[in-house]
Amino acid sequence: QVQLVESGGGVVQPGGSLRLSCAASGFTFSSYGMHWVRQAPGKGLEWVAFIRYDGSNKYYADSVKGRFTISRDNSKNTLYLQMNSLRAEDTAVYYCAKGQLRYFDWSYFDYWGQGTLVTVSS
Amino acid sequence: DIQLTQSPSFLSASVGDRVTITCRASQGISSYLAWYQQKPGKAPKLLIYAASTLQSGVPSRFSGSGSGTEFTLTISSLQPEDFATYYCQQLNSYPAFGQGTKLEIK
């Protein structure tokens, strides 16, 4: 069965950095685009970033462009999100999500991890 | 950027009721729309994609319709486990979600 397990969340000061990981299993990770989605406390869902199945293309929300970097290691079945210059407004639960269709950039998010909480506070 | 507006934002209903949630897009998105269900403390779950296709394992009381700029999610007969928050999502351009509709027990 498909499993996505995020890790790496925690408390960080404004201006600091954090790297999130998402360990994938139960499917051919190297064939699917992957996303990060976040949810601030008590708020709705916000798409953050996408990486193509082979890592050759990446897209970002304007709110994180230039500060966050998405990457993947297909040999380790792991997705990453490097977050730099963190701000209070980046405080959220961060979910990784799998694209539904092999090799497609935009497809629906059919599996999600349980999320990892990032808190940016002094 | 394409904006999605859901209505209502809050909905109070009873078990057995038929409910409809609407999602309007700021410009046409063909049928590139999905619906997700989220329960407190849990990850979202894909219910419907391509506006009207039921995801595998989702009960048939859920249905979706629409194209262009107006879409609906209908639950034909509410069950206790359906009380949750529902989000629409468009994939015509960079992914974006509606603000959510919280469905509560009356």
Side-chain angles (χ1 to χ4, degrees):
Chain A
Q1 70 282 21
V2 172
Q3 275 202 306
L4 298 169
V5 180
E6 301 96 337
S7 61
V11 180
V12 61
Q13 292 189 337
S17 298
L18 211 55
R19 188 176 85 154
L20 306 183
S21 299
C22 170
S25 61
F27 66 103
T28 306
F29 180 71
S30 59
S31 297
Y32 292 88
M34 297 292 296
H35 299 262
W36 286 100
V37 178
R38 69 184 180 183
Q39 186 170 37
K43 302 297 185 183
L45 301 169
E46 180 188 15
W47 172 78
V48 172
F50 164 82
I51 186 167
R52 189 174 281 179
Y53 65 95
D54 60 357
S56 63
N57 223 350
K58 305 172 185 180
Y59 303 102
Y60 299 92
D62 287 345
S63 58
V64 306
K65 201 173 295 182
R67 300 186 300 123
F68 289 12
T69 301
I70 189 171
S71 63
R72 65 192 298 159
D73 185 336
N74 285 347
S75 69
K76 295 182 178 179
N77 289 348
T78 303
L79 175 72
Y80 302 101
L81 185 68
Q82 177 67 43
M83 304 185 295
N84 298 332
S85 303
L86 282 161
R87 307 166 179 166
E89 54 265 35
D90 295 318
T91 294
V93 173
Y94 285 74
Y95 297 100
C96 61
K98 170 187 167 291
Q100 187 183 40
L101 301 176
R102 283 178 187 262
Y103 310 126
F104 269 65
D105 279 1
W106 299 138
S107 65
Y108 303 99
F109 304 176
D110 60 351
Y111 289 93
W112 299 59
Q114 84 289 348
T116 187
L117 177 62
V118 172
T119 302
V120 184
S121 173
S122 54
Chain B
D1 290 0
I2 297 174
Q3 313 293 327
L4 296 178
T5 304
Q6 292 180 229
S7 59
S9 295
F10 297 92
L11 181 56
S12 182
S14 301
V15 173
D17 284 353
R18 178 185 180 91
V19 299
T20 297
I21 299 169
T22 297
C23 178
R24 289 186 174 87
S26 58
Q27 56 187 273
I29 57 170
S30 185
S31 295
Y32 295 113
L33 189 104
W35 291 95
Y36 296 84
Q37 176 194 66
Q38 187 180 33
K39 297 182 179 179
K42 300 295 186 182
K45 173 187 173 183
L46 178 62
L47 297 177
I48 287 170
Y49 62 94
S52 60
T53 302
L54 205 63
Q55 173 71 345
S56 175
V58 174
S60 59
R61 62 181 180 273
F62 291 91
S63 64
S65 65
S67 67
T69 61
E70 187 153 334
F71 302 85
T72 59
L73 171 70
T74 299
I75 309 172
S76 60
S77 178
L78 273 174
Q79 298 303 300
E81 60 268 29
D82 299 337
F83 292 94
T85 299
Y86 293 85
Y87 294 93
C88 58
Q89 178 207 34
Q90 66 85 17
L91 276 188
N92 189 68
S93 60
Y94 285 18
F97 294 90
Q99 82 279 12
T101 295
K102 186 172 184 179
L103 177 54
E104 298 180 325
I105 301 175
K106 185 183 286 185

